[in-house]
Amino acid sequence: MSRQPPLENTIAPVQPHEQDNKDDFVHVVHSLDSKGSSDGSITRRERAPVFVSSIRKDEPIVTRRELWSYYLYYNGDNGVGPGGYSMTLFQSLAFAAGFDPIKGPGSSCNAEDASGQCVLPWAGGTKAVSSVVLVANGITFAVMTAIFTTIGSAADYGTFGRWLLFVVTCFCWGAQFASMSLTTPSRWPVSMTLYMIGYISYGATLVFFAAAFPRLARNTAHARATREKYEAGETTLEDFEREESLEKNRISNISTTHSNIGYIVTLCLNLSILLPLKDNPKVNNYTLVLTNVYWVVVGIWWFIFQQPRPGPPVPKGESYLTIGWKQIWQALKQYKKLPYTFIYLFAFFLLADGLNTTGTLVSICQNDKFSFSFLQNTYLGLAQAITSTMSTLGFWYIQRYYKLSTKKMFVVTNVVTMMIPLWGMIGIWTTKLGFHNAWEFWAYNIVFGLFQAPYYAFSQTMMAELTPPGFDNMFFGLFGLSNRASSMIGPNVIQAIIDKSGSNWMGFPFLFALCVCASLVIWFGIDVTKGRRDAVAWADAIRSNTKDRSVKRKAEKEI
């Protein structure tokens, strides 16, 4: 069977070109719209580095030990501590330090005749505890934005990405261990600070860890064998793309399953402390530390067994703090060449903002309902973790059996994403439904597990499908900006709504509108097949452009 010729939108998988540098990297790339001078030399405009491809000709094949260490890191990085317990501890201390605005300073928010409102002194006035939590979230996502835009794409150079993940992981571990100091309500500002440090670094670990995923997926033994068959003309482009997509989905779904398994194991371990020490005033602190110890034990192996796949060195005259901004600016200017990649990034920005803020708002309501109980949250988390594991495996089985596309699977999860804030809206008009009852939070955690765990797997795979090969950190940095940093908008809007209305539930309509708009754009505005081929074509053009310039410069030197 002969291989189809590469057309404008049907491009063969890209192989790194022979380079004139000793490291065989597809090295510093210049703007595609730059032009040379009349004598064939390079103009000053072309000398600013713009893009870099981190693909090498001799990237090592992924070993079983390396792949398992990748899964185990995600097993420990399951979010129970920084994404769950830390916020509960922070909200609990803030609530205990607050007062009832109806009765004035000195009153208790826990009194039997309390009004149900609770405020803290804030910037010369007062602010509702729920709003303070949302402000903390808004600040964390703003800091994430600065991190991803400044040093996100710089991770494509050298071993910076590997060490960057290690550093942010250590910051997250340190913030969790420091929670042992949070023992009195007066320390709620410290709790707020540690929560933000922990959540910022946790979000960064997810983004920089996910950036390694496309590189792993294209270097598995199966992926390499499939590529070799295509290059030998033994399979069609469509078959190659389908197999490569399924391989990405396999690794993404298995890693997500491991994250959920880690969620289950961590929560079960925590019960060994929460049940016998339930009357101990420091039981919550002990639980948070145990959760963190589990992540350290299973996560450290990734930094030991990860094989080196470094990028090229930072170009002369550039730094890690500046080149990221330059790359992102130039990447954004490529939206006409990569329309579906950027439509997805924009739509996911809205969707992630809606979903992440919805989760925060539901957690605030849940903590209020169950009086900030770590034990109750552990039971609810177990319900979510078990259903998440089952659904991730189930979705993967269905996709593999019926050969369904990533987009079709993602659309199913989007429907449920919209339904969660819609259900919360009901709580505006009645207390019988809409996250007012204990059973609704059980239902929410089960439904979230059944559909939102696959959502994370398929959203990541969608991004991998639309990312130009070899430019993983740059585009996953933008994806991280859409996923995590987008939520600096939602929390700030919602906290303003809550402050004005005095009701947590008034924030749900805004979140529902966000999720609906984003889902419609993804459903009707993205062609994944064409977007994938556009991404490959873009990467191929970038590399070809660099090779041509390298040959020209070499010829000029010889002359």
Side-chain angles (χ1 to χ4, degrees):
M1 183 180 299
S2 62
R3 184 174 67 181
Q4 299 180 15
L7 304 175
E8 180 179 358
N9 292 318
T10 306
I11 305 298
V14 179
Q15 293 297 314
H17 294 291
E18 294 286 344
Q19 298 296 308
D20 59 355
N21 66 71
K22 63 183 180 181
D23 292 321
D24 288 330
F25 282 108
V26 181
H27 201 52
V28 179
V29 181
H30 302 275
S31 178
L32 291 176
D33 58 3
S34 308
K35 296 184 182 297
S37 62
S38 59
D39 63 356
S41 63
I42 304 301
T43 65
R44 182 176 182 179
R45 180 186 175 192
E46 296 174 310
R47 288 175 184 163
V50 177
F51 302 118
V52 62
S53 172
S54 57
I55 291 180
R56 298 177 59 127
K57 292 191 301 182
D58 59 345
E59 288 184 344
I61 294 178
V62 177
T63 64
R64 184 178 181 85
R65 184 171 61 180
E66 181 183 22
L67 191 58
W68 269 96
S69 68
Y70 180 82
Y71 294 151
L72 284 174
Y73 179 93
Y74 205 19
N75 183 297
D77 193 14
N78 50 57
V80 171
Y85 286 152
S86 287
M87 192 183 88
T88 300
L89 183 58
F90 160 41
Q91 189 179 349
S92 173
L93 293 177
F95 191 84
F99 61 89
D100 190 330
I102 305 299
K103 296 185 177 182
S107 61
S108 172
C109 296
N110 288 314
E112 292 184 2
D113 57 346
S115 66
Q117 299 182 56
C118 190
V119 298
L120 284 165
W122 186 270
T126 61
K127 186 177 283 292
V129 169
S130 297
S131 294
V132 172
V133 175
L134 288 165
V135 166
N137 277 340
I139 294 173
T140 61
F141 291 122
V143 175
M144 285 185 203
T145 301
I147 291 174
F148 299 150
T149 52
T150 302
I151 60 177
S153 59
D156 282 317
Y157 292 93
T159 59
F160 184 64
R162 182 173 185 169
W163 286 106
L164 181 60
L165 177 62
F166 179 72
V167 169
V168 295
T169 300
C170 288
F171 265 98
C172 194
W173 289 346
Q176 304 303 293
F177 283 131
S179 66
M180 278 304 301
S181 65
L182 307 175
T183 55
T184 61
S186 63
R187 293 181 181 175
W188 73 265
V190 179
S191 180
M192 180 177 178
T193 301
L194 289 177
Y195 165 66
M196 290 192 293
I197 292 173
Y199 201 63
I200 289 167
S201 52
Y202 165 66
T205 65
L206 295 180
V207 171
F208 296 127
F209 180 69
F213 155 64
R215 199 172 302 183
L216 281 179
R218 67 171 172 260
N219 283 298
T220 64
H222 178 71
R224 293 275 278 267
T226 303
R227 181 182 294 273
E228 290 171 3
K229 286 178 62 178
Y230 172 72
E231 291 172 345
E234 298 175 4
T235 187
T236 65
L237 174 64
E238 289 75 16
D239 287 340
F240 166 76
E241 288 180 335
R242 182 171 56 252
E243 286 300 316
E244 187 177 58
S245 176
L246 287 173
E247 183 71 354
K248 290 175 182 175
N249 276 284
R250 181 182 74 87
I251 293 177
S252 182
N253 279 283
I254 292 176
S255 63
T256 302
T257 300
H258 271 280
S259 178
N260 291 318
I261 291 173
Y263 200 4
I264 295 173
V265 173
T266 302
L267 294 173
C268 288
L269 281 175
N270 291 341
L271 289 176
S272 67
I273 289 180
L274 288 167
L275 290 175
L277 300 179
K278 61 181 180 180
D279 296 325
N280 189 306
K282 294 184 179 180
V283 64
N284 292 344
N285 308 77
Y286 296 148
T287 302
L288 196 49
V289 168
L290 178 61
T291 300
N292 198 46
V293 167
Y294 177 81
W295 182 9
V296 174
V297 170
V298 299
I300 195 66
W301 303 107
W302 170 243
F303 302 108
I304 297 173
F305 295 128
Q306 179 187 8
Q307 295 189 87
R309 296 183 182 89
V314 174
K316 187 177 181 180
E318 297 295 332
S319 74
Y320 288 115
L321 296 179
T322 59
I323 198 166
W325 283 97
K326 293 179 180 180
Q327 285 192 330
I328 288 174
W329 174 245
Q330 292 297 331
L332 292 174
K333 290 164 65 176
Q334 303 300 311
Y335 71 94
K336 290 184 179 180
K337 300 180 180 71
L338 300 169
Y340 296 111
T341 301
F342 283 95
I343 289 173
Y344 178 66
L345 285 169
F346 170 74
F348 195 72
F349 182 96
L350 299 179
L351 186 64
D353 196 359
L355 180 62
N356 291 340
T357 310
T358 297
T360 301
L361 189 54
V362 174
S363 294
I364 289 172
C365 297
Q366 179 176 298
N367 285 330
D368 284 340
K369 183 66 180 179
F370 295 108
S371 302
F372 316 104
S373 170
F374 266 41
L375 181 59
Q376 187 63 46
N377 283 342
T378 299
Y379 289 141
L380 291 168
L382 276 171
Q384 182 183 135
I386 293 171
T387 52
S388 293
T389 306
M390 294 169 56
S391 66
T392 303
L393 293 173
F395 269 75
W396 164 234
Y397 175 81
I398 292 170
Q399 182 186 26
R400 183 178 57 180
Y401 185 83
Y402 292 103
K403 304 290 184 181
L404 298 176
S405 68
T406 302
K407 181 180 176 181
K408 289 179 180 177
M409 304 301 290
F410 192 38
V411 164
V412 174
T413 66
N414 290 163
V415 174
V416 179
T417 299
M418 295 188 301
M419 295 299 104
I420 295 174
L422 179 62
W423 185 267
M425 285 173 57
I426 300 174
I428 297 174
W429 303 289
T430 178
T431 58
K432 293 182 179 180
L433 294 173
F435 299 122
H436 287 287
N437 306 291
W439 68 266
E440 291 178 287
F441 293 103
W442 281 98
Y444 162 76
N445 280 278
I446 291 172
V447 170
F448 191 96
L450 288 174
F451 292 95
Q452 296 311 294
Y455 156 90
Y456 289 111
F458 292 125
S459 65
Q460 176 177 276
T461 307
M462 277 272 285
M463 188 64 227
E465 300 258 18
L466 298 170
T467 294
F471 301 85
D472 308 316
N473 277 291
M474 179 169 66
F475 281 89
F476 266 83
L478 292 174
F479 182 58
L481 186 66
S482 294
N483 185 13
R484 294 288 163 183
S486 65
S487 294
M488 65 181 175
I489 298 174
N492 289 311
V493 173
I494 300 304
Q495 67 90 14
I497 293 174
I498 290 174
D499 267 351
K500 185 175 181 179
S501 65
S503 170
N504 292 339
W505 284 262
M506 292 302 295
F508 285 113
F510 173 77
L511 299 172
F512 176 66
L514 271 183
C515 292
V516 169
C517 291
S519 296
L520 290 176
V521 172
I522 291 173
W523 298 352
F524 301 108
I526 297 175
D527 184 330
V528 176
T529 300
K530 190 175 185 307
R532 182 194 306 116
R533 293 177 181 177
D534 286 345
V536 173
W538 183 86
D540 193 30
I542 287 281
R543 283 188 275 267
S544 296
N545 190 52
T546 301
K547 180 184 179 183
D548 292 343
R549 295 184 189 282
S550 296
V551 172
K552 183 182 292 185
R553 284 194 294 269
K554 187 175 182 180
E556 288 175 349
K557 290 179 180 179
E558 291 177 352
I559 293 174

